[in-house]
Amino acid sequence: MQHVAAALDRLSELAAAPTVSRLAAAFEAAGHELALVGGPVRDAFLGRPVNDLDFTTDATPDEILAIVKPIAEAHWDIGRQFGTIGAKIAGETVEITTYRADTYDGDSRKPEVVFGDTLEGDLTRRDFTVNALALRLPKLELVDPSGGIEDLVAQVLRTPAAAEQSFGDDPLRMLRAARFAAQLGFEVDPETVAAMSALAPEIDRISAERVRDELSKLLTTSAPVRGIRMLVDTGLADRVLPEVPALRLERDEHHRHKDVYEHSLRVLEQAIEYEVSRGVLESPDLVVRLAALLHDIGKPATRRYEAGGAVTFYHHDVVGAKLAKKRLRALRFDNDTVDAVARVIELHLRFFGYTEGAWTDSAVRRYVRDAGDQLERLHILSRADVTTRNKRKADMLAFAYDDLEERIAVLAAEEELAAVRPELDGAEIMAALGIAPGPVVGQAYKFMLDVRLDEGPIGPDAARERLLEWWAAREA
């Protein structure tokens, strides 16, 4: 970690920036306290970029609005019920929150917001000591009531209050512990881990939307596996993502199949490496990471022991896609994300047929067509799914996929694969057959698409002849 003095220098520079200094002056003139709080202060000590500016104050939401309106280019009060006002000042977005003391009543899925009256009280109700740091403005006084700086130095996560009390007030903090462990690379204090295990059932009080958001934040860190292991080891994953701990299939005495759980975590790590190195997708890509983590969740339900001792998981791709849809919908993911993840999982085994024999151009076209706009994600998962320690086998699979991608590129250049359609559209089909709109048009369209995929471009005249032949055979 950078020296404390260097961190204080960075905080001083931050306080002198137009947005912060303008806010500090406005609140001081109005007779109210203001402090930069949480992540920005923590990240200054860690030498990390400061991206979000969060402030806390003794002013009420109405008073905050009155103070920021004259100096803001824009402001909004969408978080007013939680004491938070947002604003854009000197080109930067900020959030300013009244001192708080959130608690749960034991049954509600949302916190009951109680406004506090001191900065120290606000800090001690926060999730972890490393986030319970503040810089009073404009006097630049560092406030650390719970030893957060010492924990930053030790790279340890613990709660300001007793972990049982903190997690009882807001069970989502247990998921946040896993996320920050992954994001910061910190260890979680043993007493805090023990409380997570003991209170894991309390996460059921939290709304699916809040759980979804926290899991998404965890998965989009640079090294999410650390956090996922913590969720599984503490029993939290059994409550929020039970398909993942279910991957820990009991190994038979002959070790006839690999550890699916460890394999899935390795696939996730490799998918992130490919996501970054290929540079085609905007990283982090949540769909890639969800698909990598969940790609084998159909295996527990499809495991079979065959004669001779072989273990099979027939159709685990299709079963896994259905299970992923069900779980992601329960977590209130949007339909586009759900459909994309399920599609990539459903197709993730398709490539392995390529290594068993040369694919025709038709098979390559169908691979591209079936993947649609998920092709790049399918490329990443297919490559990441190779975790064998057999270097010869791994090289063979890598060379095979290189070859497949090269063939896709060649065919795409020749035939515009991304927009493959029959050479006759619906209107031309109806005109050629002399029929009106109806189900038969759809059947004819599918036939013409199969011709296009199987044979490539053959020209509209030849396509019309093939259509008439199909029609005549159908009518016979």
Side-chain angles (χ1 to χ4, degrees), residues 183-374:
Q183 179 178 318
L184 302 176
F186 284 12
E187 295 295 330
V188 181
D189 171 70
E191 292 183 6
T192 303
V193 174
M196 291 168 68
S197 298
L199 297 177
E202 294 298 303
I203 198 66
D204 295 346
R205 290 162 41 195
I206 302 300
S207 68
E209 291 82 0
R210 295 185 73 207
V211 170
R212 172 203 64 207
D213 290 347
E214 199 56 50
L215 289 175
S216 298
K217 290 176 182 177
L218 166 58
L219 281 171
T220 51
T221 62
S222 60
V225 167
R226 184 190 191 100
I228 292 165
R229 288 190 186 280
M230 176 162 289
L231 294 182
V232 171
D233 292 344
T234 57
L236 281 160
D238 289 317
R239 323 293 301 197
V240 299
L241 206 59
E243 294 79 7
V244 173
L247 292 171
R248 296 178 297 181
L249 297 175
E250 181 179 351
R251 298 287 294 274
D252 63 273
E253 68 274 17
H254 300 295
H255 297 279
R256 289 174 291 190
H257 63 83
K258 68 178 69 175
D259 185 321
V260 182
Y261 172 64
E262 292 297 334
H263 164 75
S264 297
L265 296 184
R266 182 58 187 146
V267 170
L268 174 57
E269 291 175 331
Q270 293 188 162
I272 293 172
E273 292 170 5
Y274 281 119
E275 171 195 298
V276 173
S277 64
R278 288 171 68 91
V280 176
L281 300 173
E282 184 175 346
S283 183
D285 188 278
L286 182 60
V287 170
V288 164
R289 297 173 186 217
L290 282 168
L293 179 63
L294 303 179
H295 77 285
D296 273 349
I297 60 173
K299 280 191 171 181
T302 58
R303 180 171 61 166
R304 298 290 183 272
Y305 293 106
E306 305 292 342
V311 179
T312 63
F313 302 96
Y314 291 130
H315 306 304
H316 78 265
D317 45 350
V318 176
V319 172
K322 292 178 179 177
L323 290 174
K325 271 193 173 184
K326 183 177 179 180
R327 176 55 52 196
L328 296 181
R329 283 173 176 163
L331 288 169
R332 304 291 191 271
F333 278 91
D334 63 275
N335 289 335
D336 288 345
T337 298
V338 172
D339 291 343
V341 171
R343 191 59 172 157
V344 176
I345 291 175
E346 183 180 358
L347 295 174
H348 83 274
L349 290 183
R350 183 78 66 85
F351 156 68
F352 291 95
Y354 190 82
T355 64
E356 297 170 1
W359 277 8
T360 62
D361 286 350
S362 171
V364 175
R365 292 187 194 101
R366 289 178 185 277
Y367 188 79
V368 174
R369 174 207 172 192
D370 290 348
D373 57 4
Q374 302 308 315

